[in-house]
Amino acid sequence: MFNFDILKKASVKVPEIDAQSLRENTFRNPKWVHFGVGNIFRGFIANIQQHLVEKRIDDTGIIGIELYDEGIVSTLRKFSNQTLAISINPDGTFDMELILSLIDVFYGDPVSEDWKAIRSIFESKSLQICSLTITEKGYNLKNASGEYFDAVTSDMASGPLAPKSTIGKISSLLYHRFKTTGYPITLVSFDNIAKNGLKLKESIIEVAQAWVNNKFAEEKFLEYLETNVAYPWTMIDKIVPNPSQEIAQILKEMGIEGLHATMTDKKSFVANFVNMESVHYLVIENNFAGTRPAFECGENNIFVTGREDVERFERMKVTACLNPLHTALAVFGCLLGYKKISDEMQDALLVKLVEGVGEEGVRVVEKPSIIEPRDFLDEVLKRRLPNRYMPDTPQRIATDTSQKIPIRFGETLAAYASANSLSAKSLKFIPLVIAGWLRYLLAVDDNGNHIELSPDPLLDELRSKLGSIEFGRPETFKDQLKSILSSKQLFKVDLYEAGIGERVEELFKRMIAGTGAVRKTLVNEVL
C-alpha cells in the first residue's frame, strides 16, 4: 500500500474517496466486473470509474477477474489492488494519479476457490457491465487451420461446469446468470479488434450452441444471449507499454518509494504502477441491456455514440492510422536492433515506411464524425510515436502478431481487393511489412544474430513452415510461404488471388540474402 502523504508531496493526485465505503457498496451492489486486469485496464479504464465516484455520479468500484494467471491475483492483492497511473506527456512531464477503484481481484478458474464468489456476483440484479481486455487471442476459438483449440473442444464436449477456455468461462458465468436469475447484462469488449462486440457475441453463441446441441443447456439460453445480453462495439486508443524500471527510478528520485514489479510463474510481468501516454480516445456504442455507467462523464475524449461512428473510428485507428504502424515498427525494430519505438522514429527509413503504411490504410477508411482521419494520423506520426519519454518497445508490440495481422492489415487488404477504384496490386508498403514479419519469424536479425521472438500462439506452427529456409541462402527459399500467404484466416484474402502473394515472396527472398539485406530492401523500396 502506498503512503498517501508521500504521494501528495510528489504531486500525485490521491482521490478523496472513502475506500472502505466504496468496497462495501461494491460488494453489496456490484455493478461492474472486468475480465483481464492488465495495464490498460488498471491505468485507464479503472480511472474512468474512479472519476465517476469522485464526482458522486456513482458509488461503486470495479471487481477484477483474472482468467489466465493466478499469480497476477496474488500480486495485485499484495499491492492492496492499488495502482499508480503515470501519464507521460510529450515534453517529458508526468501527470500522476493513484487508482483506488479496483476493489478486489478474483481468479476466474472453476478449480479456484474464487469461482464460487464470482458466480455469486453474476447472480446480482445490480450487475450492469462485464467488460473485457483479454487481447485478440482471447476471442479466438480456432487456430489458423480453422480447427478448434483443445480447450474449446473440451468445453464444448464437457459443458459449462468446468470450462477451460476464456470464452468458455465467460459463457459459463452467463449460463449461471441465466439459470439463477435471468437478469440482463452488457458485455463490453475494450480490446482492439474490428467489430469487437460482434466478435465477442459470435464466440459466445458458438460455444453456447455446442452446449445446446450436446444437451448441456436449453434452447432458451440462446434466446437469453440474444435478447437479454448486449454486446456494444467499442474502440479504445491509448498506448500503454509494460511498466518501465527507468520510470520507476525517476519516480524514486522524486521521492515516491514502494514501486515494485514482479514476474509470476507464468511469466506475467506485474507492477503496482502503469506508465502510459497522455493521449487517449474511447468510443462506445450506445447499446446496453439496461442501465450503464456514465462513461462520457468520467474523462475527456470518451464518446457514447452510434455503431456507425464506433466502426468508422475503430477502422481508422486499428486498421489504418495507428495499429498497423505499430506492427510495422515492431517487426522491423526487432530485425534492426531497436529497443524503443521512439528511437525508430528517428530512422528516416522507418518513418517513410510507417507514413506509407498509414497512407495506404487511410485511403479506405470512412471519416468518423468525431475526428478527421488525416489529423489523427498526423498526431500519431508527429506526437505520439516519436515521444521519446514513452518506454515502449518493438519487442512488446511484436507479441501475438499472428493474431493482429488479420485486423491490422487484413481489413485493408480486403477493402482493396473488393474496391472498384483500387487494386491490392497498387499496395507497396503493406506487402513490405508482411514480408518483414515473415523474415522476423526466422529469429535472425539483420546482422545475422539470433533474436528472441515475442510470444505468439502460432509461433511454432508458422516457424515449422519456414523450417527449411536458411538465412544467407536465398536458394533455400522455394514455395514454403504458399500456405501462409494464401490463408484467409491470416489475411482475410488469399494474397495470391489479390495479386500480391508473389510480391511478398520476392521481398522476403531479398531480405534473407545476408547481413544488411533487410535495410537494403527498405532503402530500395521506401526511398
Side-chain angles (χ1 to χ4, degrees), residues 8-28:
K8 289 177 180 178
K9 288 179 181 178
S11 298
V12 174
K13 179 185 176 185
V14 178
E16 298 297 327
I17 290 175
D18 184 338
Q20 184 59 35
S21 293
L22 187 65
R23 182 179 179 85
E24 291 172 359
N25 290 342
T26 301
F27 280 108
R28 186 184 303 115

Side-chain angles (χ1 to χ4, degrees), residues 221-501:
F221 179 46
L222 292 173
E223 183 180 330
Y224 169 80
L225 293 175
E226 290 282 359
T227 60
N228 281 33
V229 182
Y231 313 82
W233 298 11
T234 72
M235 193 295 310
I236 189 168
D237 179 21
K238 192 174 186 71
I239 299 172
V240 185
N242 289 329
S244 164
Q245 290 305 310
E246 179 183 349
I247 298 295
Q249 182 59 37
I250 293 172
L251 295 174
K252 185 176 181 180
E253 293 169 1
M254 294 169 60
I256 301 177
E257 302 282 351
L259 296 179
H260 300 287
T262 185
M263 186 74 73
T264 70
D265 291 341
K266 287 190 175 180
K267 307 301 181 185
S268 300
F269 186 71
V270 191
N272 59 345
F273 67 99
V274 172
N275 40 241
M276 54 197 179
E277 66 172 342
S278 55
V279 177
H280 65 247
Y281 298 93
L282 177 59
V283 189
I284 307 172
E285 179 192 6
N286 193 9
N287 171 28
F288 295 85
T291 56
R292 66 168 176 86
F295 295 109
E296 66 274 35
C297 299
E299 287 269 2
N300 295 324
N301 285 346
I302 297 178
F303 309 91
V304 180
T305 183
R307 175 176 293 184
E308 183 180 73
D309 245 351
V310 177
E311 187 171 18
R312 288 180 175 180
F313 204 117
E314 172 272 325
R315 187 177 182 89
M316 175 193 72
K317 183 256 180 182
V318 178
T319 72
C321 296
L322 177 56
N323 294 53
L325 283 61
H326 248 164
T327 292
L329 292 172
V331 296
F332 282 105
C334 292
L335 288 170
L336 298 176
Y338 283 103
K339 301 301 181 185
K340 288 181 68 175
I341 293 294
S342 57
D343 289 343
E344 290 188 74
M345 292 301 289
Q346 304 303 311
D347 186 324
L349 279 176
L350 298 180
V351 171
K352 286 283 188 182
L353 172 68
V354 293
E355 287 176 346
V357 170
E359 180 60 31
E360 288 179 343
V362 81
R363 289 175 191 161
V364 292
V365 300
E366 294 182 78
K367 177 184 177 300
S369 65
I370 333 172
I371 195 169
E372 173 62 46
R374 290 191 183 277
D375 290 343
F376 182 88
L377 178 60
D378 192 60
E379 180 184 53
V380 167
L381 289 168
K382 295 181 179 178
R383 294 188 66 245
R384 299 176 68 180
L385 294 180
N387 185 346
R388 63 188 180 91
Y389 301 101
M390 278 287 289
D392 210 356
T393 69
Q395 291 74 24
R396 179 191 77 87
I397 298 168
T399 300
D400 299 334
T401 300
S402 71
Q403 309 300 292
K404 299 170 181 175
I405 287 284
I407 309 302
R408 300 185 178 191
F409 297 101
E411 297 291 329
T412 296
L413 289 166
Y416 271 82
S418 61
N420 294 325
S421 59
L422 295 169
S423 168
K425 291 181 180 180
S426 68
L427 294 170
K428 176 180 179 180
F429 297 95
I430 291 176
L432 186 58
V433 177
I434 293 171
W437 172 52
L438 297 171
R439 168 65 180 81
Y440 159 82
L441 291 175
L442 293 181
V444 180
D445 69 14
D446 203 28
N447 291 321
N449 300 317
H450 172 76
I451 54 174
E452 290 295 328
L453 300 183
S454 300
D456 188 311
L458 296 186
L459 201 58
D460 292 340
E461 179 182 339
L462 291 166
R463 280 176 51 78
S464 68
K465 296 178 179 181
L466 306 180
S468 59
I469 301 174
E470 297 181 29
F471 170 76
R473 296 187 62 201
E475 67 273 14
T476 61
F477 172 61
K478 302 185 186 307
D479 61 354
Q480 295 96 327
L481 301 185
K482 295 291 184 187
S483 63
I484 298 175
L485 299 181
S486 60
S487 172
K488 294 183 180 180
Q489 188 94 2
L490 276 174
F491 301 107
K492 301 288 186 180
V493 296
D494 181 324
L495 295 188
Y496 296 102
E497 292 177 359
I500 60 174

Side-chain angles (χ1 to χ4, degrees), residues 23-53:
R23 182 179 179 85
E24 291 172 359
N25 290 342
T26 301
F27 280 108
R28 186 184 303 115
N29 294 297
K31 296 179 183 177
W32 187 346
V33 298
H34 182 86
F35 289 100
V37 288
N39 295 323
I40 195 166
F41 162 68
R42 290 185 292 118
F44 178 31
I45 298 168
N47 205 10
I48 297 171
Q49 182 66 4
Q50 177 155 297
H51 289 176
L52 295 179
V53 173

Side-chain angles (χ1 to χ4, degrees), residues 74-308:
S74 58
T75 301
L76 291 179
R77 285 177 173 171
K78 287 178 183 177
F79 298 153
S80 300
N81 302 307
Q82 297 177 0
T83 299
L84 179 60
I86 305 140
S87 295
I88 305 172
N89 299 309
D91 63 0
T93 59
F94 296 164
D95 294 323
M96 299 178 287
E97 184 168 359
L98 184 63
I99 308 300
L100 301 177
S101 59
L102 177 58
I103 303 305
D104 207 346
V105 183
F106 294 95
Y107 183 42
D109 192 287
V111 302
S112 167
E113 294 181 1
D114 288 352
W115 190 248
K116 183 178 180 181
I118 296 170
R119 281 162 60 92
S120 177
I121 292 167
F122 269 77
E123 297 171 13
S124 301
K125 185 176 182 178
S126 59
L127 188 62
Q128 303 171 359
I129 299 294
C130 170
S131 58
L132 307 90
T133 48
I134 56 176
T135 74
E136 288 98 329
K137 63 184 177 183
Y139 300 81
N140 291 336
L141 302 181
K142 299 177 181 179
N143 61 23
S145 300
E147 300 169 338
Y148 286 115
F149 291 112
D150 290 343
V152 175
T153 299
S154 173
D155 288 350
M156 290 178 166
S158 304
L161 290 181
K164 299 177 181 178
S165 70
T166 295
I167 294 297
K169 292 174 183 178
I170 296 169
S171 301
S172 172
L173 292 168
L174 291 173
Y175 183 66
H176 180 69
R177 186 172 178 85
F178 159 74
K179 289 290 288 182
T180 55
T181 64
Y183 294 131
I185 192 170
T186 300
L187 304 187
V188 186
S189 168
F190 288 125
D191 284 296
N192 281 320
I193 303 174
K195 305 176 183 179
N196 52 15
L198 177 62
K199 176 65 174 175
L200 175 59
K201 179 181 180 179
E202 289 177 341
S203 295
I204 287 173
I205 294 290
E206 191 166 350
V207 170
Q209 183 66 64
W211 287 345
V212 171
N213 294 344
N214 293 325
K215 310 301 182 184
F216 293 115
E218 304 89 330
E219 286 279 353
K220 285 190 175 181
F221 179 46
L222 292 173
E223 183 180 330
Y224 169 80
L225 293 175
E226 290 282 359
T227 60
N228 281 33
V229 182
Y231 313 82
W233 298 11
T234 72
M235 193 295 310
I236 189 168
D237 179 21
K238 192 174 186 71
I239 299 172
V240 185
N242 289 329
S244 164
Q245 290 305 310
E246 179 183 349
I247 298 295
Q249 182 59 37
I250 293 172
L251 295 174
K252 185 176 181 180
E253 293 169 1
M254 294 169 60
I256 301 177
E257 302 282 351
L259 296 179
H260 300 287
T262 185
M263 186 74 73
T264 70
D265 291 341
K266 287 190 175 180
K267 307 301 181 185
S268 300
F269 186 71
V270 191
N272 59 345
F273 67 99
V274 172
N275 40 241
M276 54 197 179
E277 66 172 342
S278 55
V279 177
H280 65 247
Y281 298 93
L282 177 59
V283 189
I284 307 172
E285 179 192 6
N286 193 9
N287 171 28
F288 295 85
T291 56
R292 66 168 176 86
F295 295 109
E296 66 274 35
C297 299
E299 287 269 2
N300 295 324
N301 285 346
I302 297 178
F303 309 91
V304 180
T305 183
R307 175 176 293 184
E308 183 180 73

